Structure formats: C-alpha cells, structure tokens
C-alpha cells in the first residue's frame, strides 16, 4: 500500500517534539498518527535508516528497550 507521508518523516516529526523518547512510546505515537497499518519491523527499519543517515541515535537501555535521541537535521 502506498503511503501519503513517508514513515521516516512521521518518525522525525515525532522525535523533534520529544528530544529523547523510548522506542515503544514512539511506536505508539506513530501508529496513532497514521491512517495506515505500521508494523514494528517497518518501524525498526525506518529507525535504522534514520540512524545511518545521522538524524537520530539509538541506544540500548535494557534488553528490547531503546532510547532514541534526535541529533538534528542534516544540511
């Protein structure tokens, strides 16, 4: 299914509002703000792509608990 707004953009918008956020809280916010179904695997792939591009940093707090930190926009 085609998405009107890319998942990356939705995640970045949510992270900009909350500089540090746990992945489960962010996933709930993303699911509530989209009008299509977002799987957890797609969510993790989008997080990995954003981390590789340098927009966010993902740190492991405990097993299966991640802290996501917004690093800023790239120019």
């Amino acid at each position: 299914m085609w998405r009107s707004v890319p998942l990356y953009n939705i995640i970045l918008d949510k992270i900009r509002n909350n500089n540090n956020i746990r992945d489960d809280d962010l996933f709930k916010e993303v699911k509530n703000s989209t009008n299509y179904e977002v799987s957890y695997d797609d969510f993790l792939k989008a997080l990995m792509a954003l981390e590789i591009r340098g927009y966010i940093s993902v740190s492991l707090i405990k097993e299966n608990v991640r802290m996501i930190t917004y690093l800023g926009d790239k120019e």
Side-chain angles (χ1 to χ4, degrees):
M1 178 176 178
W2 291 97
R3 298 175 177 155
S4 58
V5 178
L7 187 56
Y8 307 110
N9 292 349
I10 296 170
I11 291 173
L12 279 177
D13 287 340
K14 298 297 178 187
I15 294 174
R16 282 186 191 118
N17 296 335
N18 306 319
N19 197 20
N20 293 325
I21 188 168
R22 290 179 36 179
D23 65 334
D24 53 349
D25 295 333
L26 179 62
F27 182 64
K28 289 175 190 172
E29 287 187 27
V30 168
K31 279 188 75 163
N32 291 336
S33 67
T34 59
N35 56 357
Y36 51 85
E37 185 63 31
V38 177
S39 70
Y40 194 69
D41 287 338
D42 288 341
F43 173 73
L44 289 178
K45 287 177 187 176
L47 284 182
M48 188 184 329
L50 290 171
E51 185 175 22
I52 289 171
R53 293 177 185 164
Y55 290 105
I56 64 172
S57 173
V58 179
S59 306
L60 192 63
I61 298 174
K62 297 189 286 186
E63 186 176 339
N64 294 327
V65 179
R66 297 164 194 85
M67 180 61 72
I68 301 158
T69 306
Y70 179 65
L71 298 177
D73 289 326
K74 296 294 178 183
E75 296 183 51

